[in-house]
Amino acid sequence: MKFKFLNILVFVFILLLFFYTYNFFQTPQSVATFQSYSSPSLKIDNALIKLLNSEDIDTKKEAEKEIIQTTLTAINYEKWQEFEEYIEMKLYVETVLPKDTEQLIVVLNLSKDLAVVTIFEAVANDYIFHSKIENLLPIDKIEFLSPSSHSYKMMLLYQTLDEKFGSYFFEEFLQAYLYLSNDFRNIWHKTLYYEEVYKEVWIDPQADDTLWNRVVEETMIDFIDEDPIKINTFTTLEKYITRSSEYPNTDKFALVHTNHYKRSYYWSSEFNLFILGEVTKDVFLSDTALLEDMESNREVLYGIVNSNYKVVTSKGEILYLPKNKFQAMFQSFLEE
């Protein structure tokens, strides 16, 4: 009887093990991982990376072509294969995952308004596809920061939006990403330079048909390598106008409004974000961090005033609080 009961227990254990193993390998993450490790088309040989430093131009071009093609296949962007010769590639080797080894970071600028960042992890002599960051604009460069709260680095993606044809719209901005909860999360965003030229009548049909506007936002950034990491910013907002029956030259505009402000952000391991300051649940409903003073945004140059503070709670909830009610609580976090 005892032996029979033991056999039943072993059978149940094997059945449960089979059930959980089967379900584990049915998850999209597990399937993707298995495919990456088993498929040669999803691997980049480390020797191929070394060929990029070859003095032979043809060898270097062939290696770059193969890396681009492998990356496109790994991220299911095969339709871009036919445009391979127009794709710009940038490579970085850094530790951006909670792993003991470094990762290969492949940047592909696919077009003037689309880019993707792909992360491969080092396994033996290969780099195996791990994950990707999509829906990015062309990337000029990537820099890295080391928060003391994590054993790996965050990525600073410098991007450009250039829409000078048809209308005049240009922006350079920075997005910071950190690997959190099995994905890369955008933890900070800042415009470095923004410029737009538009006709007033495009916004107000009753306006003077010859009135043109030019708005400019420019921010200088200083990263302070302390614990926690700090980012000091200095932003200038400017608005210019001119009157012309045709598209005007930049030197024809006259300055009519200017403003500037300073901000000091710091890395919060509690919120996993760069914040301006925080209050505890003893002061507010819950632990809450200040992200932005919305009244300082460039929308003010268009006559749009948003008198709110943008905050985030410890639960990740984004709230917009009226400044006239919460100024005493958050104003001390803003440098002027």
Side-chain angles (χ1 to χ4, degrees), residues 54-62:
S54 173
E55 295 182 359
D56 184 86
I57 297 178
D58 291 335
T59 299
K60 187 173 183 177
K61 286 185 177 180
E62 190 61 32

Side-chain angles (χ1 to χ4, degrees), residues 190 216-220 233-239 255 257-264 293 295-298 300-301 331 334-336:
K190 195 67 176 178
V216 177
E217 175 183 1
E218 188 168 11
T219 297
M220 293 183 292
T233 68
F234 183 84
T235 300
T236 300
L237 298 173
E238 297 176 334
K239 182 173 183 177
L255 180 65
H257 173 84
T258 185
N259 187 28
H260 62 267
Y261 59 89
K262 294 187 293 183
R263 295 287 183 263
S264 184
D293 175 3
E295 200 168 19
S296 299
N297 288 356
R298 65 170 172 264
V300 68
L301 299 176
Q331 191 62 29
L334 306 174
E335 293 185 31
E336 296 294 344

Side-chain angles (χ1 to χ4, degrees), residues 136 155-159 173-177 186 188-189:
L136 301 169
M155 293 188 289
L156 307 179
L157 308 185
Y158 291 80
Q159 302 169 63
F173 62 95
L174 164 65
Q175 285 182 314
Y177 281 86
N186 185 3
W188 195 61
H189 179 113

Side-chain angles (χ1 to χ4, degrees), residues 32-301:
T33 300
F34 177 76
Q35 290 175 339
S36 298
Y37 277 77
S38 60
S39 175
S41 63
L42 303 181
K43 300 178 181 179
I44 297 177
D45 193 316
N46 188 40
L48 202 58
I49 306 301
K50 295 178 180 178
L51 290 179
L52 291 175
N53 297 320
S54 173
E55 295 182 359
D56 184 86
I57 297 178
D58 291 335
T59 299
K60 187 173 183 177
K61 286 185 177 180
E62 190 61 32
E64 181 174 341
K65 179 180 179 180
E66 189 171 339
I67 293 171
I68 291 175
Q69 290 178 343
T70 300
T71 303
L72 291 173
T73 300
I75 62 178
N76 297 317
Y77 276 44
E78 287 91 345
K79 66 179 182 180
W80 288 94
Q81 297 278 11
E82 60 181 300
F83 306 107
E84 176 269 326
E85 61 182 304
Y86 304 106
I87 295 174
E88 179 188 25
M89 182 184 75
K90 300 176 187 290
L91 292 185
Y92 300 87
V93 176
E94 257 301 351
T95 304
V96 294
L97 296 173
K99 306 278 186 178
D100 294 332
T101 57
E102 293 181 321
Q103 289 79 52
L104 175 68
I105 303 160
V106 181
V107 175
L108 297 182
N109 288 329
L110 302 171
S111 69
K112 75 176 187 65
D113 52 11
L114 184 64
V116 61
V117 171
T118 307
I119 293 85
F120 294 82
E121 58 176 312
V123 178
N125 295 320
D126 296 316
Y127 287 105
I128 308 297
F129 171 68
H130 180 275
S131 53
K132 60 186 175 182
I133 306 174
E134 298 181 279
N135 301 317
L136 301 169
L137 288 162
I139 294 174
D140 301 313
K141 63 178 178 178
I142 297 182
E143 293 180 347
F144 303 89
L145 288 178
S146 302
S148 60
S149 56
H150 293 77
S151 60
Y152 50 97
K153 298 183 180 181
M154 58 180 67
M155 293 188 289
L156 307 179
L157 308 185
Y158 291 80
Q159 302 169 63
T160 298
L161 173 60
D162 190 347
E163 297 291 346
K164 294 179 181 177
F165 298 100
S167 60
Y168 191 97
F169 183 89
F170 181 84
E171 182 178 15
E172 294 176 334
F173 62 95
L174 164 65
Q175 285 182 314
Y177 281 86
L178 181 66
Y179 192 73
L180 298 166
S181 302
N182 299 316
D183 199 6
F184 282 94
R185 176 177 164 187
N186 185 3
I187 54 174
W188 195 61
H189 179 113
K190 195 67 176 178
T191 294
L192 304 175
Y193 184 82
Y194 175 92
E195 182 176 1
E196 182 179 8
V197 175
Y198 65 95
K199 212 173 185 179
E200 185 69 22
V201 73
W202 297 346
I203 297 178
D204 179 8
Q206 306 302 318
D208 182 349
D209 187 52
T210 65
L211 180 59
W212 291 82
N213 301 278
R214 176 173 173 256
V215 295
V216 177
E217 175 183 1
E218 188 168 11
T219 297
M220 293 183 292
I221 295 181
D222 185 20
F223 293 98
I224 310 299
D225 189 14
E226 295 180 354
D227 187 13
I229 296 173
K230 293 182 180 178
I231 309 176
N232 293 329
T233 68
F234 183 84
T235 300
T236 300
L237 298 173
E238 297 176 334
K239 182 173 183 177
Y240 301 79
I241 65 170
T242 191
R243 283 180 167 78
S244 175
S245 58
E246 299 178 349
Y247 192 94
N249 293 326
T250 301
D251 58 3
K252 300 297 183 182
F253 286 90
L255 180 65
V256 294
H257 173 84
T258 185
N259 187 28
H260 62 267
Y261 59 89
K262 294 187 293 183
R263 295 287 183 263
S264 184
Y265 302 84
Y266 64 90
W267 174 248
S268 169
S269 57
E270 177 184 353
F271 293 93
N272 278 320
L273 292 167
F274 281 103
I275 64 175
L276 291 165
E278 55 190 306
V279 296
T280 66
K281 58 185 177 182
D282 297 330
V283 178
F284 194 56
L285 299 176
S286 64
D287 292 343
T288 302
L290 177 62
L291 299 178
E292 294 293 344
D293 175 3
M294 302 301 291
E295 200 168 19
S296 299
N297 288 356
R298 65 170 172 264
E299 281 73 17
V300 68
L301 299 176

